[in-house]
Amino acid sequence: MDSYFSILFTEVYKILFLLVPVLVSVAMIVWLDRRVWAFVQKRRGPNVVGPFGLFQSLADALKYTFKEIIIPASSNKLVFVLAPVVTMTLALISWAVIPFGEDFVLADINVGILYLFAVSSLGVYGIIMGGWASNSKYPFLGAIRSAAQMVSYEVSIGVIIINVLLCVGSLNLSDIVMAQQNLWFVIPLFPMFVIFFISALAETNRPPFDLPEAEAELVAGYQTEYSGMMYAMFWLGEYANILLMCAMGAVLFLGGWLSPIDIFPFNAIPGPFWLIFKILFLFILFALVKATVPRYRYDQLMKLGWKIFLPFSLFYVVLTSSFLLYFDLLPGK
Amino acid sequence: MIAHSVFFYIFSLIAIVSAVMVTVSKNTVHSVFFLILDFISISCLFIMIGAEFLGMIMLIVYVGAVAVLFLFVVMMLNVAEQKGQWFSSRWDGGTHIPVGLLVSLIIFFELIIVIGGWKYKPDLLNSLSVNISTEVTNTRSIGNILYTDYILLFQISGMILLVAMIGAIVLTYRERAGVKRQSYVKQISRERDEGVDLVEAERNKGVKIDA
């Protein structure tokens, strides 16, 4: 028992070592998002607090902490308080399995990719709970929209993951990265990468798929009744989820911590930095999409998910597996 | 080992308490939330006995998809009032208590049979045609038998699910008149000739437009 708990305590500092950078980078990424967005629209964006406005998110966080938390009288209080907690927790626990380098991962579990997928599919509960517990029309409509949207796009993300797994032969994230040593999966599976990226936008409720919080129709969707720190937790959880989706894309398609070419100036940079570059690259793409694309109509969104992405990625599963079978490349024999 | 059993009892306690709460709690939405908690703690138990694949699939399928649909149904249809009526003595000519008692008795005897069968577990393990090895991951071993020895059963269960799905769609589908659908092909292939119509308008009478 003692040994067990001593292991537990040594794990705690590792967890802090991972979580604190994640939280700080979530704050920074909000700033980056707003800057990129402003850059596209020829505005300045947040540039007052600190150099280049870097501390804007900290200032915002400070503001949120001092705002009053209002719990609506007719709401279901326990569920109302639990919803942002669930969102935030689920956004953070998935970072445990992301491999930042060889042997540089908190939990190197056999079913890492399934764990990521499971946690991201749980993410919908924070939103449903928040929308339902608010006991008001707009949040409820937002929650229903969001649940339908996330469930639909999870299906196509699942099928895309199957494509990658066919090429790897293991559910372990480190194995997935190591299988890309010679060729990143973005090259043979490029259509899947594009669909993954779009599905990730829908999964994290980002524009052009931000229907759950479409401000012209639903005020602020499921977050309408939230204020102060509870709103900030939804907001942080959302951005942590976006970062996680970028990390998932980097691990599945862009070779995780591997350098693009294995020659001197590139492979001297340690693995974690490569992963961070790739995450940032994907995140900037996310921000550019937000700045350029108008919002989808709801029926178009559903049509895209079920009638275009799902059949196409299923077709690609057949294509990938028959290719691997024909050229005798199937892994794990 | 002690820590292991501590965690086992924590998870199983949560599972049992939330299973009881599913049936007891007045609010149907709370029932579904407890059901989700139950699923999660059971998948934790799966992971604890080393069946990590089953645990994760349980999370993805039951919690990530099935329970979301449950929540949908419970939130959209106002089941809360019906649930109250169900167990009151009269509901549309007849009480449901005898049927409920019958079902729970059947489940109870099934449980007794399962627990009794536990006694013969060593015999069963020896008589298994598949030998369980601890070296390969259980994802791989499930895959090895699911797609070879049990492929027929696997395919049949898939077919049953497909038929059930199609059946549900056919039963609920009804054609509605006057619904306007967007057709991308039609929109893109629209030409000037069919889109624009030059009409000689008669003075003071205008043009009659028919849709």
Side-chain angles (χ1 to χ4, degrees):
Chain A
M1 185 140 185
D2 283 341
S3 67
Y4 191 87
F5 283 105
S6 67
I7 294 171
L8 206 65
F9 284 124
T10 49
E11 286 302 300
V12 165
Y13 96 90
K14 281 196 208 163
I15 291 169
L16 285 180
F17 189 73
L18 180 70
L19 276 194
V20 173
V22 166
L23 282 174
V24 171
S25 48
V26 165
M28 290 294 108
I29 225 86
V30 176
W31 168 81
L32 182 69
D33 191 26
R34 293 173 67 181
R35 284 295 282 213
V36 172
W37 196 12
F39 174 76
V40 175
Q41 298 176 342
K42 286 193 164 184
R43 291 183 288 117
R44 295 238 175 119
N47 65 347
V48 178
V49 193
F52 309 108
L54 263 174
F55 301 137
Q56 180 65 44
S57 304
L58 297 180
D60 284 346
L62 207 65
K63 189 186 81 178
Y64 283 126
T65 35
F66 287 114
K67 285 219 168 181
E68 186 189 353
I69 292 175
I70 298 165
I71 298 177
S74 62
S75 68
N76 195 313
K77 306 215 168 36
L78 182 68
V79 181
F80 188 81
V81 176
L82 266 179
V85 179
V86 167
T87 306
M88 188 77 192
T89 316
L90 288 175
L92 290 181
I93 57 170
S94 20
W95 285 93
V97 293
I98 298 283
F100 283 88
E102 251 174 301
D103 303 322
F104 190 24
V105 51
L106 203 59
D108 194 18
I109 56 176
N110 279 334
V111 287
I113 189 71
L114 281 184
Y115 174 83
L116 267 187
F117 190 56
V119 172
S120 75
S121 68
L122 292 186
V124 68
Y125 284 112
I127 293 170
I128 296 191
M129 284 165 84
W132 176 76
S134 301
N135 198 6
S136 119
K137 289 280 180 296
Y138 292 129
F140 185 65
L141 287 174
I144 292 282
R145 273 188 181 189
S146 154
Q149 172 178 337
M150 286 170 87
V151 169
S152 317
Y153 278 84
E154 246 159 46
V155 180
S156 66
I157 289 190
V159 178
I160 292 163
I161 289 175
I162 290 175
N163 268 300
V164 174
L165 294 182
L166 276 173
C167 305
V168 180
S170 161
L171 296 173
N172 185 311
L173 285 171
S174 304
D175 288 350
I176 291 175
V177 174
M178 289 318 278
Q180 305 180 52
Q181 254 175 332
N182 299 322
L183 186 66
W184 291 1
F185 288 146
V186 66
I187 299 166
L189 299 176
F190 185 72
M192 288 298 101
F193 176 67
V194 174
I195 290 183
F196 176 83
F197 183 76
I198 299 171
S199 304
L201 288 174
E203 181 79 8
T204 50
N205 297 329
R206 284 281 287 187
F209 305 111
D210 59 341
L211 288 141
E213 43 193 296
E215 67 277 350
E217 306 149 33
L218 294 180
V219 190
Y222 60 93
Q223 308 167 330
T224 307
E225 304 287 344
Y226 282 86
S227 64
M229 210 51 213
M230 280 160 76
Y231 170 75
M233 276 174 86
F234 262 130
W235 186 63
L236 282 177
E238 208 170 279
Y239 273 91
N241 260 331
I242 292 166
L243 267 191
L244 183 83
M245 274 295 167
C246 295
M248 212 163 138
V251 167
L252 286 178
F253 292 101
L254 299 178
W257 72 79
L258 297 170
S259 65
I261 18 177
D262 202 10
I263 49 171
F264 169 66
F266 293 105
N267 60 18
I269 302 173
F273 285 100
W274 277 119
L275 185 64
I276 290 168
F277 288 152
K278 286 166 188 169
I279 292 175
L280 273 181
F281 169 72
L282 283 178
F283 184 79
I284 288 173
L285 279 187
F286 262 67
L288 286 176
V289 169
K290 178 185 181 177
T292 42
V293 188
R295 186 176 294 137
Y296 256 57
R297 217 170 53 213
Y298 200 73
D299 62 316
Q300 289 174 325
L301 171 91
M302 284 297 163
K303 193 174 180 179
L304 186 72
W306 288 105
K307 292 188 181 165
I308 299 173
F309 282 1
L310 188 63
F312 183 67
S313 42
L314 269 175
F315 161 74
Y316 218 83
V317 169
V318 177
L319 190 73
T320 313
S321 44
S322 26
F323 182 86
L324 290 174
L325 204 63
Y326 186 75
F327 290 99
D328 208 22
L329 292 167
L330 272 178
K333 275 204 196 149
Chain B
M1 222 39 217
I2 298 172
H4 196 268
S5 41
V6 166
F7 278 107
F8 171 77
Y9 283 115
I10 290 175
F11 285 132
S12 33
L13 201 70
I14 295 175
I16 291 168
V17 169
S18 52
V20 171
M21 289 305 286
V22 172
T23 52
V24 170
S25 65
K26 281 257 165 65
N27 193 329
T28 25
V29 176
H30 286 179
S31 288
V32 180
F33 283 141
F34 278 115
L35 187 69
I36 293 161
L37 186 62
D38 200 26
F39 283 147
I40 293 176
S41 37
I42 284 171
S43 76
C44 290
L45 287 176
F46 266 130
I47 293 166
M48 279 185 71
I49 59 167
E52 70 244 4
F53 183 75
L54 277 184
M56 288 300 162
I57 289 296
M58 175 112 185
L59 274 186
I60 293 170
V61 174
Y62 283 92
V63 185
V66 173
V68 174
L69 298 182
F70 267 33
L71 262 186
F72 250 59
V73 172
V74 167
M75 282 175 175
M76 302 285 258
L77 317 172
N78 212 349
V79 213
E81 285 132 41
Q82 287 180 15
K83 196 184 174 188
Q85 288 172 350
W86 255 57
F87 292 102
S88 62
S89 56
R90 291 256 143 213
W91 181 76
D92 280 358
T95 162
H96 286 270
I97 293 172
V99 182
L101 273 180
L102 189 71
V103 171
S104 48
L105 267 180
I106 292 172
I107 293 176
F108 180 69
F109 282 118
E110 274 179 351
L111 276 178
I112 285 182
I113 292 168
V114 167
I115 293 167
W118 201 251
K119 208 175 140 194
Y120 303 104
K121 192 183 150 206
D123 300 344
L124 284 175
L125 274 182
N126 290 332
S127 64
L128 275 181
S129 58
V130 213
N131 43 346
I132 296 170
S133 105
T134 47
E135 281 163 29
V136 286
T137 59
N138 59 52
T139 315
R140 180 161 299 200
S141 38
I142 286 174
N144 273 340
I145 59 164
L146 196 60
Y147 295 104
T148 52
D149 299 353
Y150 297 103
I151 182 70
L152 198 62
L153 296 174
F154 184 70
Q155 296 267 341
I156 289 172
S157 57
M159 281 297 170
I160 291 172
L161 285 176
L162 184 69
V163 168
M165 194 172 79
I166 294 172
I169 293 171
V170 168
L171 282 178
T172 53
Y173 183 77
R174 69 203 142 103
E175 192 111 33
R176 278 182 298 175
V179 179
K180 284 184 177 154
R181 287 218 170 73
Q182 184 180 19
S183 159
Y184 297 135
V185 183
K186 221 171 152 189
Q187 282 182 346
I188 296 168
S189 57
R190 208 170 108 113
E191 295 283 332
R192 193 192 140 92
D193 298 340
E194 43 188 300
V196 182
D197 206 4
L198 273 181
V199 182
E200 203 72 40
E202 233 178 297
R203 185 177 289 245
N204 282 338
K205 284 199 176 152
V207 183
K208 196 179 177 220
I209 302 170
D210 44 5

